[in-house]
Amino acid sequence: QVQLVESGGGSVQAGESLTLSCVSSGSTMRSCMGWFRQAPGKEREGVAAIDSEDAHRTRYAESVKGRFTVTIDNALNTLTLQMNSLKSEDTALYFCAAKRGICWSPSLLASQYNTWGQGTQVTVSS
């Protein structure tokens, strides 16, 4: 059973940057990996996803395109989310997730992911 542990969250001012990391206890090869977030009172939403076997295959939510970048280091079993130009609306609990099986297409649908971390809080003040 793969376990995922996120880190890197914190409190920043609008316009600043944060880098989130997600370390897997097992191999994440041959799977989709994703970042999701959930703000209080809102549903969990997909932020970014990547094919662990082809890091050029990514997908981003429209709200973060051009500001967030997802990368993966399979040698270190680490997924990273670089977040630039943060906005107050980016405030949320951020989760990483893994989708078991071949990554046919990186997905932002939470229902397609099998394994979740416990989350790391990101708070952006305007």
Side-chain angles (χ1 to χ4, degrees):
Q1 178 77 14
V2 171
Q3 291 186 323
L4 305 174
V5 179
E6 304 95 335
S7 63
S11 296
V12 296
Q13 297 291 315
E16 294 184 342
S17 299
L18 276 176
T19 302
L20 305 184
S21 296
C22 171
V23 178
S24 170
S25 62
S27 174
T28 54
M29 292 291 290
R30 303 191 73 201
S31 65
C32 294
M33 299 291 296
W35 284 101
F36 295 79
R37 67 187 181 187
Q38 189 165 18
K42 295 188 176 181
E43 291 188 358
R44 190 169 298 189
E45 64 170 342
V47 174
I50 190 169
D51 179 351
S52 66
E53 291 215 309
D54 183 354
H56 296 291
R57 298 180 70 216
T58 58
R59 190 184 302 271
Y60 294 93
E62 286 297 324
S63 59
V64 306
K65 276 185 179 179
R67 300 189 298 123
F68 290 10
T69 303
V70 59
T71 56
I72 192 164
D73 186 331
N74 288 311
L76 297 177
N77 289 335
T78 299
L79 181 74
T80 300
L81 184 68
Q82 176 64 44
M83 305 186 296
N84 298 327
S85 302
L86 283 162
K87 304 176 181 180
S88 57
E89 51 261 46
D90 295 319
T91 295
L93 186 62
Y94 282 71
F95 301 87
C96 71
K99 176 177 179 285
R100 191 180 307 128
I102 295 174
C103 185
W104 299 110
S105 177
S107 172
L108 297 179
L109 296 178
S111 60
Q112 295 193 12
Y113 288 78
N114 314 100
T115 304
W116 294 83
Q118 292 193 338
T120 185
Q121 178 68 36
V122 172
T123 302
V124 184
S125 302
S126 57

